[in-house]
Amino acid sequence: MLKTKKIIVLGSCNTDMLVHTHRLPAPGETIMGGDFIMTPGGKGANQAVAASRLGGEVTFITKIGNDIFGRQSLEVFKRENINTNFIFSDAEHPSGVALITVDKDAENCIVVAPGANKTLSKEDIDQCREIIESATILLMQLEIPIETVEYAAKIAYNAGVKVILNPAPASFLSTRLLQNIHILIPNIIEAEVISGVKISDGETAKKAADIIHQKGVGTIIITLGKFGVLLKEKGGYYNIPIESKIKAVDTTGAGDTFCGAICVGILEGMSMVESVGFANTAAGISVTRAGAQLSIPYRKEVETAKKS
Ligand code: RIB
């Protein structure tokens, strides 16, 4: 089969309801916040938009509800030059929604009501088999059923497609799934859940990466927040720092921007270290702006930031 330079993103599509507050509320507490912002989101959708804005040729596989949020999302993807031929619609469940609070330190708290996302099934994936098998990269996250992720990973892996998983939200992963993943991109919490290692410094991060590697994943990229990124590949470890002078206002969607950017870097023939550097720059721009999809930079902005 002819291989193209295509990225398939398989995952969730949400509408984000976001409020900035001084601090995150405690259980049982009501606090006053700033203005309400409603924006397109969902880890899958954000990653698809990031990969497209940064220069990738993207097909997005997701499921929306038959409602205003779903229709708005579809329009967004079309405007973003994303192939929408494999966006399924669910007549019974509403589109996904995420309730997000962001504090003064740019940290967030997210609750997702998955709606139609949770009905994206193996049968839906069967309808996408050909396009998945003809792609270069399949990028996924965990806001859709895990059986669907496992099924798609197996199809793609067997077809020689590079399979990349951002295991968010954090979840234990079967060896069966990990063995079909080429590149895993967890944050600290996700790496701890998958490896069973508490990460407190560079050494424990390496230990977590080693254990994930032993479970079958070739390349592990642990995002360590302000401590940068630990990359483990081909037996070597690389610590790639982030720009320390950035003034973050909202980290929502930064991880998604990073994942989309990694795919573009790989497709353009960058080394893994270069791809992580490119992704760090893109994610670094996204945290300076509010919202998930709203904050994702275009390629030109990343190139300008790299030069400065
Ligand atoms: O990663 C950020 C995203 O997580 C938000 O856009 C929200 O929809 C949730 O999926």
Side-chain angles (χ1 to χ4, degrees), residues 12 14 16 41-43 46 98 100 110 112 143 252-253 256 292:
S12 62
N14 298 331
D16 292 352
K43 294 185 195 308
N46 299 342
I100 305 179
I110 304 180
V112 175
E143 285 184 339
T252 314
D256 300 328

